[in-house]
Amino acid sequence: MDAVLRLLLLLLGASHGLETFCDGRQDRAQCYGALGGTVIIKLMDDASQIYKYQWLNKTAVILNARRSRVVHNLIGKRSSFTPTDGTFRINDLRSTEEGEYTFEIFDSHGYKLLHQTLQLTIQAPVSSVMLVFKCLPQGQMRVSCSSQEGDSPQYSWTLDGSTLKDSQLLSGSHQTNNITLKEDVSGRLVCSVRNHVSRISACGPIYINCTLPDGTLIPHWAVRSKDNTCVEPAITPDWINTEDLYLHQCDVITTMVILFLIGIAICFVWKRNKVKKAKGFAVREIMENENPFALMAETTSSGSKLPYLLDFDSWPL
C-alpha cells in the first residue's frame, strides 16, 4: 500500500511540472526555465558525428561527451542528454543554475571548432492572481490585479475579449496592474499575468464592496452606469481562461486515468490478501477441535493415507 501511495504522489507531482524549450544553437541565445520545472536545451542537431563537445558554466564542466557517448555529466541524477537530436534535458531546476553557459566543439586533434554561449534565466511561475474592485464616488471603477508569486510578472487587460483601450480608462493602461475604468464602461474584464515560463488569468465578476448612493452595500462585482447606480453585469463568472482550458482538461483526464489504474491495483492487492486470509482460516478450522487433546494424525490403510482424530478421552484407563 505504501508503494502505491508513493507512486501516486510521484505521478501527480510530475504532472504539475512546467516544461520549457530553448534553441541553444544560436550564439548568445536567451533561455528560460521554471523553478522546480524542466528545461530542454537543443545544443546541436546530431552529436553522433562530433568527435568531442562539452557544455559548461563559469565554475564547472556540466556535460562532457564524445560522439554518442557521455563521458561525464555533473548533474546526471537530474538530467539526460540525447545524442541523436542534441538535446540536453534538466529536471528540478534550481535558482543557483541561472547564469551564462558555454558550448564548445573540438576535432580529433583538440582544435576548437565552435564556441558559443547562452544565458539561462530561472523564474518562479506566476500563480494566485487576485482582482480587487472599488467603486469611486463619481461612478468610476478602480481595479487592481496582483499575483502572490512569480518573477518579473507582466500584465495585460481585456474587456469582452478585446484589448482594453486607453479611451476606456481614466488612468493606467492595458499593461499595468492598476487601472481605473470610466463610469460608462461595463463588460467582462480579464486580467492576465505572465512571465516567460507561465501564464494565468483572473476574470470578473468578483466580490467587492460596492455602495449605492443610498448607502446600500452590494457584495458583488458591479459597474456603475450613467445614472450613477450599481447594476449587475449580465455575464456569468468564468474563472478558467479559455486559452488554458484544453491543457486544464488534459491534466484532469490524466489524473483520472492514473487514479483509475491505482484503484485497480489496490483492489487486486486487497483481493489477494483476502484469499490468503480465507485459506489460512480454512486450515485452522481443520487443525483445531473443541477437545484440546484431539490431535490430527495420518495412517496408511490399503496404500492410501486417511486422516483421523486421536481422542485421548475415549481411551480406556
Side-chain angles (χ1 to χ4, degrees):
M1 183 66 68
D2 293 339
V4 173
L5 291 177
R6 286 195 297 268
L7 177 61
L8 173 61
L9 294 174
L10 178 62
L11 292 174
L12 292 179
S15 65
H16 288 82
L18 292 177
E19 186 174 286
T20 55
F21 176 82
C22 175
D23 189 350
R25 292 173 296 179
Q26 299 296 323
D27 191 24
R28 298 181 182 180
Q30 177 63 62
C31 301
Y32 294 92
L35 183 65
T38 298
V39 63
I40 301 174
I41 303 175
K42 190 171 183 63
L43 299 176
M44 66 196 92
D45 293 324
D46 186 1
S48 60
Q49 301 302 319
I50 299 178
Y51 180 76
K52 180 183 177 181
Y53 49 94
Q54 61 182 17
W55 195 61
L56 60 154
N57 57 19
K58 293 182 179 180
T59 60
V61 176
I62 308 299
L63 177 70
N64 187 0
R66 294 174 181 265
R67 293 192 173 93
S68 298
R69 183 173 64 91
V70 175
V71 178
H72 169 74
N73 186 349
L74 185 63
I75 50 176
K77 294 182 178 180
R78 295 187 296 112
S79 67
S80 61
F81 179 71
T82 306
T84 54
D85 60 8
T87 57
F88 190 44
R89 180 188 186 96
I90 307 175
N91 303 312
D92 189 20
L93 287 169
R94 303 167 183 177
S95 57
T96 55
E97 292 174 320
E98 180 174 284
E100 184 178 270
Y101 289 82
T102 301
F103 180 62
E104 297 176 336
I105 295 178
F106 302 87
D107 63 12
S108 58
H109 301 288
Y111 180 75
K112 188 181 296 184
L113 301 176
L114 178 69
H115 176 94
Q116 60 187 34
T117 62
L118 67 83
Q119 183 71 31
L120 178 62
T121 301
I122 309 298
Q123 291 186 335
V126 295
S127 62
S128 304
V129 176
M130 179 181 296
L131 290 180
V132 177
F133 291 73
K134 182 180 180 181
C135 294
L136 300 180
Q138 301 301 319
Q140 304 93 348
M141 177 73 68
R142 181 177 297 161
V143 190
S144 176
C145 178
S146 62
S147 176
Q148 309 242 339
E149 298 178 359
D151 294 327
S152 305
Q154 300 176 6
Y155 300 89
S156 61
W157 296 86
T158 60
L159 186 67
D160 289 336
S162 300
T163 301
L164 201 59
K165 301 177 182 179
D166 292 339
S167 59
Q168 298 170 316
L169 296 170
L170 193 63
S171 65
S173 73
H174 70 279
Q175 294 181 331
T176 59
N177 65 322
N178 295 298
I179 60 173
T180 301
L181 297 171
K182 292 184 177 180
E183 63 274 8
D184 59 345
V185 176
S186 63
R188 179 175 179 267
L189 189 66
V190 178
C191 171
S192 297
V193 186
R194 65 180 302 166
N195 56 17
H196 289 92
V197 298
S198 60
R199 182 178 186 272
I200 191 171
S201 299
C203 312
I206 194 172
Y207 285 93
I208 61 160
N209 293 332
C210 182
T211 305
L212 293 172
D214 60 358
T216 303
L217 185 66
I218 301 179
H220 57 245
W221 181 55
V223 176
R224 290 179 181 269
S225 61
K226 291 183 179 181
D227 59 1
N228 203 35
T229 60
C230 289
V231 294
E232 293 187 36
I235 300 174
T236 304
D238 181 9
W239 296 99
I240 300 179
N241 182 24
T242 55
E243 295 181 5
D244 300 330
L245 183 58
Y246 175 75
L247 294 177
H248 176 74
Q249 290 175 341
C250 289
D251 289 340
V252 171
I253 293 174
T254 302
T255 302
M256 290 178 64
V257 171
I258 293 172
L259 292 176
F260 175 73
L261 294 177
I262 292 177
I264 293 177
I266 292 174
C267 290
F268 174 78
V269 173
W270 177 78
K271 288 184 177 181
R272 185 179 61 181
N273 292 337
K274 186 177 180 182
V275 170
K276 287 183 178 180
K277 289 181 179 179
K279 289 181 178 179
F281 179 77
V283 171
R284 287 194 299 270
E285 284 291 316
I286 295 174
M287 297 298 296
E288 294 177 355
N289 189 274
E290 293 183 359
N291 189 338
F293 296 99
L295 299 175
M296 175 67 74
E298 289 183 349
T299 185
T300 303
S301 176
S302 303
S304 62
K305 293 184 178 181
L306 298 175
Y308 68 95
L309 293 176
L310 297 178
D311 193 344
F312 291 100
D313 292 340
S314 63
W315 286 16
L317 298 175

